[in-house]
Amino acid sequence: MPTFSNVGFTQEPVPFIDLVAQYQTIRSEVKQAVDRVFETQTFVLGDEVNLLEAEISEYCDARYSVACASGTDALILSLLAVGVGPGDEVITSPFTFFATAGAIHRVGAIPRFVDIDPTTYNMNPDLVEAAITEKTKAIIPVHIFGQCTDMEPLWRISVRHNLPIVEDACQAIGAEYQGRRAGVLGTLGCFSFFPTKNLGGAGDGGIITTDDAELAARLKRLRVHGDVGGYNHVEVGFNSRLDSLQAAVLRVKLRHLEAWSDQRRRNADRYSALLQENGVADTVEIPVTANGHRHVFNQYTLRIKDGLRDTVMQQMRDKGVGCAVYYPIPLHMQKCFDYLGYRPEDFPESNLAAQEVLSLPIFSELTEQQQDRVVEVLVEAASSATLLKIPAPQEQLRRAA
Ligand SMILES: *Cc1c(COP(=O)(O)O)cnc(C)c1O
């Protein structure tokens, strides 16, 4: 059986993400940067990392940036820097990458989830205040898929309850809310340089932004075993430093980030226009950019309704079109968090999102032909799945809510 049986000729597969295509556009710049590091033989922190920190501060409009080993470490270091520890509670979203809640657990604290807004998939700020207890020590809004959480209500809560906000901006570098960049919308902003993020390195890496000089100083010592210089350890920290090679590569890529994010946004607009023209609106919901936001589309995420998501996804994959589910299991349903005592039905919007979301290829180098192919296959899959429609428990759930 041929995999691509469309009209008698083989269609090129469309990858979900194509980092090789991006590398081809920056190969000589990257090679020069890597060479420069080898010539200095400085591999951990050093000038390249200092320069990257300065450039990220400028990009995010933050006073300080502290680079570290990953986005996960950025979250862990940030929670420790604001004084979160054993027995404390931290409020966050259950509809996020595992690391958000993993970091809370890792510092000995307890994740307290609140459900999401179904249109943006971000934490619903109206639910936060009811989740605050005397043990609450911080709030982590996650700017999921590259769009900021609605921060204004969180700022009021943060002031009223004297709670620091740690942004999980790992998917949202360059995203804006009311004209301000992700990373300066709270006390600390956490970013990941994992290769598939909008600014991805050649391995793991992360950075924390802040306007607070004391927090920046504490983060800088936490990443080097709590050393304040001269072998003086004022607290026990970690080994969580960024490599010079990573910083050198990231500095090259940072110069292209605005153009890449603009291209992601153009790709998103084009998908949305094509899908709206194609008459699958009953089954396929396109992503919403909220007013006053600049979305950077780390993911372009649809909702495939009526319980048809998995059928549509399988058909797309069978035809060689990459697509993916971020995230199939909300964190309150993860085995390792059984001890938190949540019931499946506690976060209905997160559950429904986990059953309905489907992300399409959105990388900057995606061509119009590739996009046309994605849309063609998606529309075909959604129409045929709709015809075969079987009773959908999700729809009943939605109506009951
Ligand atoms: C990628 C990501 C992280 C973790 O970043 P790593 O660099 O992989 O450790 C945390 N939170 C979110 C929302 C992410 O997307």
Side-chain angles (χ1 to χ4, degrees):
M1 272 281 286
T3 320
F4 317 111
S5 55
N6 200 22
V7 274
F9 62 94
T10 301
Q11 290 276 355
E12 283 287 319
V14 182
F16 183 66
I17 182 167
D18 187 352
L19 291 172
V20 173
Q22 181 180 78
Y23 179 59
Q24 281 165 356
T25 70
I26 53 170
R27 176 183 279 120
S28 63
E29 289 173 86
V30 169
K31 287 193 165 164
Q32 271 177 30
V34 168
D35 273 355
R36 197 170 65 226
V37 172
F38 272 99
E39 290 308 323
T40 66
Q41 290 289 304
T42 298
F43 291 118
V44 177
L45 297 175
D47 289 346
E48 291 288 344
V49 171
N50 293 337
L51 288 166
L52 176 71
E53 287 174 340
E55 288 163 12
I56 291 285
S57 294
E58 194 190 339
Y59 183 81
C60 295
D61 201 20
R63 288 219 176 88
Y64 310 97
S65 294
V66 180
C68 62
S70 68
T72 304
D73 278 8
L75 288 162
I76 291 174
L77 295 168
S78 292
L79 288 172
L80 292 170
V82 297
V84 175
D88 295 338
E89 294 179 4
V90 178
I91 295 172
T92 195
S93 163
F95 191 68
T96 172
F97 178 58
F98 179 81
T100 316
I104 296 169
H105 175 100
R106 220 358 101 231
V107 302
I110 300 159
R112 284 288 168 231
F113 298 120
V114 299
D115 210 357
I116 56 169
D117 171 338
T119 58
T120 62
Y121 307 104
N122 280 323
M123 169 194 274
N124 180 344
D126 296 340
L127 303 175
V128 169
E129 206 146 30
I132 294 175
T133 72
E134 70 281 2
K135 292 183 182 164
T136 307
K137 289 289 157 55
I139 305 170
I140 307 186
V142 182
H143 306 323
I144 203 81
F145 304 146
Q147 172 163 241
C148 294
T149 303
D150 183 14
M151 295 300 292
E152 216 172 289
L154 291 185
W155 292 334
R156 282 195 289 270
I157 291 167
S158 157
V159 169
R160 204 155 43 229
H161 299 269
N162 192 25
L163 290 172
I165 294 174
V166 176
E167 297 173 73
D168 182 340
C170 286
Q171 299 181 6
I173 190 159
E176 288 176 14
Y177 174 80
Q178 298 181 358
R180 289 164 66 186
R181 291 249 158 120
V184 293
L185 303 174
T187 315
L188 295 159
C190 300
F191 296 91
S192 164
F193 299 133
F194 186 77
T196 61
K197 303 291 157 98
N198 286 22
L199 179 61
D204 279 311
I207 204 162
I208 305 150
T209 50
T210 185
D211 282 341
D212 186 312
E214 273 177 46
L215 285 175
R218 185 157 188 209
L219 290 165
K220 285 202 169 184
R221 69 181 192 238
L222 281 171
R223 75 177 170 185
V224 288
H225 301 290
D227 189 357
V228 290
Y231 208 65
N232 291 301
H233 296 255
V234 297
E235 64 181 321
V236 179
F238 296 82
N239 174 354
S240 182
R241 301 170 298 220
L242 189 69
D243 290 340
S244 316
L245 280 168
Q246 294 303 341
V249 171
L250 288 162
R251 290 183 61 218
V252 168
K253 290 183 136 193
L254 182 56
R255 294 201 287 268
H256 299 276
L257 183 58
E258 281 299 283
W260 288 338
S261 295
D262 288 345
Q263 191 56 49
R264 282 174 180 269
R265 212 159 22 249
R266 277 196 291 274
N267 293 347
D269 290 345
R270 189 159 183 275
Y271 268 138
S272 295
L274 290 170
L275 287 169
Q276 278 168 324
E277 284 163 17
N278 265 288
V280 286
D282 286 346
T283 316
V284 179
E285 258 177 30
I286 59 174
V288 174
T289 302
N291 278 339
H293 285 250
R294 179 192 194 227
H295 198 319
V296 292
F297 288 100
N298 181 242
Q299 300 296 343
Y300 179 88
T301 303
L302 303 168
R303 253 183 210 272
I304 314 285
K305 295 188 288 184
D306 306 335
L308 299 175
R309 195 268 315 274
D310 291 343
T311 317
V312 168
M313 176 167 65
Q314 196 51 53
Q315 285 196 39
M316 291 179 72
R317 289 186 169 169
D318 288 347
K319 294 195 168 155
V321 171
C323 52
V325 174
Y326 299 106
Y327 294 92
I329 304 173
L331 297 187
H332 70 291
M333 298 299 293
Q334 293 287 349
K335 178 88 189 122
C336 63
F337 292 134
D338 277 356
Y339 76 93
L340 296 174
Y342 286 114
R343 295 163 305 165
E345 63 272 26
D346 284 343
F347 307 108
E349 292 299 349
S350 298
N351 288 339
L352 193 61
Q355 288 164 16
E356 295 187 336
V357 290
L358 186 66
S359 298
L360 302 185
I362 191 69
F363 58 93
S364 317
E365 297 74 21
L366 189 72
T367 64
E368 291 200 353
Q369 291 86 325
Q370 287 177 315
Q371 257 198 310
D372 292 345
R373 175 69 183 155
V374 174
V375 171
E376 176 192 24
V377 170
L378 169 63
V379 168
E380 211 174 274
S383 326
S384 67
T386 309
L387 292 177
L388 297 171
K389 193 146 91 181
I390 35 172
Q394 285 82 0
E395 194 54 33
Q396 288 160 18
L397 241 173
R398 184 198 284 275
R399 275 196 295 266

